[in-house]
Amino acid sequence: MSKTSPREQHAPVIEAEFSLQSPEYPFVGVSEAESCTFELAKIMPRCGGEYSEFFNVTGVDPARIVEIAATHETVDVTLLNEYDDGGLFEFLVDGDCPAVTLAELGAHPREVHSTDGDGRIVAEIPSQCESPAVIGEFLDEIPGTELVRKREKEAVTPLFTQSAFQEVLHAHLTDRQFEVLEAAFEAGYYDWPRECTGEEIADEFDISSATFSEHIHTAERKLLTVLFDGLNSR
């Protein structure tokens, strides 16, 4: 298990921004072909060397994205939520992806964005990695990529942005688990001393105390799994 010490968490990091215009990468090529926008919400490691990339794609019919993804052997796509002008997708990728390449080199992709064929990636390189080596290897492995800027930051960005955390909640919790967890939090169940009991929240939902405990513990376990999987991938 890889761990990051408190000293490393607060050590200066290098933030690097890259430009990509090559249409061979789906989020770049599709954004150009369909005149749409891809914006990464979250990237998470999975088993077997695969990664889940959660993208908000706007300005296009979601069905069109699913259709195009079916032509790429290294990508498996799931539509998680549909909007009026797009949707939230989970792309399960296995290599052949710039963000995955950065992650495997030890960097943390924080922003992946493409509009009309203009792709941008912002990644943070932690202090324990040699940033020149990471940047150089990335540029070598991903043709047509340019380093736009590089700067030093005092610390890494929080693991979850607000929007990304909302996506994680809806992707990993059932509606009832989310409702029970939210109600427990708002009622003061997690305060000390507690402002309400599990029995009181169970009564609010007209469920038994055992069912409340099942919902709340399952939701907590799912969120902790997401949190520690993300930390251990650093």
Side-chain angles (χ1 to χ4, degrees):
M1 180 183 299
S2 173
K3 294 184 179 180
T4 303
S5 69
R7 180 185 296 271
E8 289 174 333
Q9 289 175 357
H10 297 287
V13 300
I14 297 298
E15 180 184 83
E17 180 178 347
F18 303 93
S19 171
L20 304 87
Q21 273 77 42
S22 176
E24 69 177 280
Y25 305 114
F27 80 103
V28 176
V30 176
S31 75
E32 181 177 21
E34 302 297 322
S35 298
C36 61
T37 295
F38 279 69
E39 187 169 9
L40 183 71
K42 184 66 181 172
I43 179 172
M44 299 173 59
R46 297 301 187 191
C47 297
E50 294 181 322
Y51 283 77
S52 284
E53 297 179 339
F54 297 88
F55 272 96
N56 282 302
V57 186
T58 54
V60 65
D61 183 350
R64 179 62 179 150
I65 299 299
V66 175
E67 178 185 348
I68 295 173
T71 67
H72 291 268
E73 295 182 357
T74 60
V75 178
D76 185 17
V77 65
T78 301
L79 175 61
L80 301 177
N81 192 14
E82 186 170 348
Y83 315 138
D84 291 338
D85 64 340
L88 172 68
F89 297 84
E90 178 183 5
F91 293 87
L92 188 62
V93 298
D94 182 9
D96 194 29
C97 172
V100 169
T101 298
L102 278 167
E104 292 182 341
L105 288 173
H108 310 314
R110 293 306 184 193
E111 298 177 27
V112 181
H113 180 276
S114 182
T115 299
D116 297 332
D118 180 18
R120 298 278 168 162
I121 296 181
V122 177
E124 292 175 350
I125 305 172
S127 58
Q128 61 266 35
C129 295
E130 293 291 337
S131 60
V134 171
I135 293 171
E137 189 168 348
F138 177 69
L139 294 175
D140 288 341
E141 291 192 21
I142 306 299
T145 303
E146 295 182 1
L147 177 64
V148 176
R149 65 179 178 89
K150 182 177 69 172
R151 69 185 182 98
E152 186 176 284
K153 296 177 59 177
E154 291 185 358
V156 298
T157 303
L159 180 62
F160 293 108
T161 63
Q162 182 64 27
S163 61
F165 187 67
Q166 290 297 320
E167 303 300 352
V168 168
L169 288 177
H170 290 292
H172 291 270
L173 303 185
T174 66
D175 290 343
R176 178 45 63 97
Q177 289 165 359
F178 179 83
E179 292 170 352
V180 170
L181 187 66
E182 183 179 39
F185 179 80
E186 292 183 349
Y189 179 78
Y190 290 101
D191 293 344
W192 185 259
R194 281 181 172 167
E195 296 184 6
C196 70
T197 64
E199 289 79 3
E200 292 171 326
I201 300 172
D203 288 342
E204 180 181 338
F205 285 91
D206 195 24
I207 58 177
S208 68
S209 296
T211 300
F212 164 79
S213 295
E214 179 183 353
H215 286 317
I216 204 77
H217 291 151
T218 299
E220 290 169 348
R221 185 176 65 252
K222 287 181 177 180
L223 293 182
L224 288 173
T225 298
V226 171
L227 172 63
F228 288 116
D229 278 351
L231 289 176
N232 291 338
S233 70
R234 294 184 172 192

